[in-house]
Every structure is written in C-alpha cells, then in structure tokens.
Amino acid sequence: RPDVLVVGVEPSGANAMMQSLARSDDKRVVLSTVDGFCDGVAVRTPGDETLRVARHTVDGIVTVPTNRVCAAIRDAFDDTRSILEPAGAVALAGCKDWLASRAEEAEEKGIRYRCVCISSGANVNFSRLRVVSDLADLGDRAERLFVTRIDETPGSFLSFVRDATDNGEGSVDFSEFKYRYHPGSSANIFYSVKCRTDDREAMLERIARNDGRVTNDLSGSDVAATHLRHIVGGKERIPFERFYQFQFPERPGTLLQFLETVAPAYNITLFHYRSSGTFEANILIGLQVSPGAQESELESLCQNLMDEHGFKMRNLMDDATEAAGLELLLGAT
C-alpha cells in the first residue's frame, strides 16, 4: 500500500530515531541526555533491527514537546474516558501536529486525511496527572502565559487588572495571577489566560496603554510552565504585612470586584490565584494593615464581602502553623 504513509513520533527530548534516520550512514545516534517524561519511548539510541526496519518502512518522523503530549492525554480522556500514559499519547500528539501542518494545503486541494494512531500504554502514575493537567492547556495552545512589569506604586496592581479585564466586561478568562511586592520602582505580574486570539490581542493592547508596562509572552517556555509559575515572588520584610486566604464564587467579574473593594484602602503586597476548575476560587493575599483602626476597618470590610457576596475569609496570622510557613517563605512577621 504505497498510498499509506507511516509516520513515526518521538518526544522532542528523546528523538534518537529521528536523528539516526537523518544520517547518511547507517550508524545509530546515541543521545547524551534523554527527557524521561515519556518514559516508555525515552531511549538513548534505537535498536539495530528497529532502525533497519524504520529505514525501509517509515516515511518520516515528527517530534512533540511535553505539553503537546499532555494535551493529547486530555483529548483521549475527553473522548474515551481512558487515561493514556505519556508514551501512549505520543502518537496522538504527533498526529494532531502532522495534520495541523498540512491543514492549509488540505483545504486548498480538498484533501481529507484518514489517520490511525497506535496508542499503547495506560500505565500512568497518579502523581503525574497533576503535571499533565497543568501543561495540557498550554499544549493545546488554549492557555497563554505572560509576565507584565508594572510600576510599583499603590493602586498599580488594581489598575492593571482593570485594564486586563476591560473593567470586568472582557471575555478573557484568567486562570492564574501571581504578584509579590518588590522594593523598587517596578514589579512583575505572572498570569495565564484562556481566550481567542483576537480577545488576547485586545487585552494586550489595553495593558500597553500604560507606558510603564512591559509584557512578555512566556507560553513557549517549558521552564516557565513547569517551574517559574510556582516560584514567582520572594522573601521580603514588609512593615505591618498580614496574609489572608479568601474563597469566593468562581464567576466572571468576581476577582475585579474583590480587588476594587480591598485595593483602594490597602496596599497589596502579594496576590496568588490559580483557577481550580471548581465552583469556588481560592486566593492568598498579602496586605499592609496598620494595627488599630485599619485592622477594624478591614474586618468590617471583609465581613461585608462574606455577608453580601458569599466570600469566606481566613486570617492566616491567627494560625501558628500557617504563620510559621509564611515567615519562612515570604518573610511574614
């Protein structure tokens, strides 16, 4: 069946077969390092017989990054309620990319491809599902990661959120916000969004209206997706800093509503939010609250949020275990 193409797929960080097939001689490539995420296909070098067969039967090799494999695992689960291990999802991820690269040509020529993916392996560790879930949206290009530098002045964070969300009226879905006060003239906000391309471009235009803001797209960074999103911030000694945990309904506009209630009266020193996919969202927030009248005002303000809008609040400084962790990691006193 010469009309049938056979395409091999390898992880980008374990592409020994692709490199070996690209050689003009028959020698095998031996990788110095191998990405072990797709452990079932993560080999340093292909076998002699495997390489020989591939040279005669395989029409090409495509490679896929880790986040694309994660997106394929989710696709298989959505369609079949089966959970593939990373090595088992490599073929599906490669098929999606192969078809996407030929979509324009196929539309022009009226070609309809029929593809079969050989996906073997459902031996996935439960602990790995957390990583798969975090990276799947990036792999599907549904989620984008950004860092915006803002002026470090009271009210600048609220102003940024207003512009980014179009005063709560925009169609951009923020799945993550991370900010930590930095002593200096500027600070960085790490955030991720889910939206259509045109909505995302409109958001970036609104953010850029403020001359002091600079935005970088980190969506293509594996390090940002895997590590940096979890370590944004630092340990600072900030006078009268207090930390609170809020829980509120996960619906459009609630985040901005919360900030517009709190930010005008108190300087926000830390903000951490990550969508959990449930009906309620959790945020960790740091505020500068002077003892006495300001503390009483904040308690009254928070009580109103709880009574009128269904918010829940927890003062973490009242919990000895939580306060100890905050002191070690964030410098809380």
Side-chain angles (χ1 to χ4, degrees):
R1 295 290 302 276
D3 57 319
V4 176
L5 294 177
V6 178
V7 180
V9 187
E10 288 185 299
S12 300
N15 60 349
M17 178 63 79
M18 185 187 74
Q19 292 191 41
S20 297
L21 290 175
R23 293 179 64 100
S24 57
D25 53 31
D26 292 333
K27 293 183 178 180
R28 297 177 297 161
V29 167
V30 180
L31 301 177
S32 57
T33 59
V34 175
D35 183 346
F37 184 77
C38 304
D39 49 3
V41 291
V43 296
R44 290 169 59 88
T45 185
D48 286 326
E49 181 62 11
T50 307
L51 180 59
R52 185 191 70 79
V53 172
R55 287 191 185 280
H56 290 88
T57 59
V58 174
D59 296 289
I61 299 281
V62 297
T63 60
V64 289
T66 297
N67 56 20
R68 297 291 290 156
V69 175
C70 292
I73 293 174
R74 187 182 62 184
D75 288 341
F77 176 78
D78 288 344
D79 287 345
T80 69
R81 286 303 186 258
S82 299
I83 301 178
L84 296 173
E85 65 176 279
V90 165
L92 178 57
C95 182
K96 290 172 61 180
D97 283 1
W98 189 88
L99 288 172
S101 68
R102 287 157 176 77
E104 186 174 338
E105 178 188 9
E107 184 176 357
E108 290 177 355
K109 298 181 178 179
I111 301 173
R112 295 189 64 183
Y113 292 104
R114 295 181 179 179
C115 300
V116 175
C117 300
I118 301 176
S119 297
S120 61
N123 183 28
V124 62
N125 295 326
F126 184 80
S127 59
R128 185 169 288 185
L129 293 177
R130 174 179 54 81
V131 177
V132 171
S133 177
D134 279 346
L135 297 181
D137 281 334
L138 288 173
D140 250 351
R141 302 180 179 92
E143 184 179 57
R144 307 288 293 185
L145 302 181
F146 296 97
V147 170
T148 296
R149 188 179 69 228
I150 64 172
D151 292 334
E152 187 61 282
T153 55
S156 59
F157 180 63
L158 173 60
S159 174
F160 164 81
V161 175
R162 282 174 174 162
D163 288 341
T165 62
D166 200 12
N167 289 312
E169 300 297 326
S171 55
V172 177
D173 180 14
F174 285 85
S175 53
E176 184 173 16
F177 259 123
K178 292 176 183 176
Y179 158 76
R180 176 62 168 153
Y181 171 83
H182 177 72
S185 60
S186 63
N188 290 317
I189 301 173
F190 184 103
Y191 55 102
S192 55
V193 298
K194 297 178 184 178
C195 58
R196 300 193 309 268
T197 301
D198 52 349
D199 291 329
R200 184 171 66 246
E201 295 301 324
M203 177 199 72
L204 294 175
E205 288 179 8
R206 292 194 301 271
I207 291 174
R209 291 173 188 166
N210 187 308
D211 293 335
R213 298 177 187 152
V214 178
T215 300
N216 290 285
D217 188 342
L218 299 183
S219 305
S221 168
D222 286 338
V223 173
T226 307
H227 298 290
L228 297 184
R229 71 193 315 170
H230 300 295
I231 57 175
V232 172
K235 187 173 182 178
E236 303 290 346
R237 295 286 182 179
I238 302 172
F240 307 124
E241 186 176 37
R242 297 291 181 267
F243 293 94
Y244 303 86
Q245 185 178 48
F246 283 88
Q247 189 177 72
F248 56 82
E250 184 78 275
R251 57 175 180 256
T254 308
L255 180 61
L256 180 60
Q257 178 189 48
F258 170 77
L259 289 174
E260 288 185 329
T261 302
V262 174
Y266 303 93
N267 185 35
I268 297 176
T269 57
L270 176 140
F271 194 87
H272 183 281
Y273 159 77
R274 176 68 173 167
S275 175
S276 61
T278 61
F279 293 110
E280 291 186 313
N282 279 289
I283 65 167
L284 172 66
I285 188 170
L287 300 170
Q288 276 188 296
V289 184
S290 300
Q294 251 200 333
E295 271 188 314
S296 299
E297 291 171 2
L298 179 61
E299 289 178 6
S300 176
L301 182 151
C302 291
Q303 190 63 51
N304 180 65
L305 285 172
M306 290 187 283
D307 294 340
E308 300 293 330
H309 304 289
F311 280 57
K312 300 174 184 176
M313 185 200 77
R314 182 182 173 205
N315 186 343
L316 299 179
M317 311 309 289
D318 292 339
D319 186 309
T321 301
E322 303 290 9
L326 292 166
E327 180 179 3
L328 288 171
L329 297 175
L330 299 174
T333 56

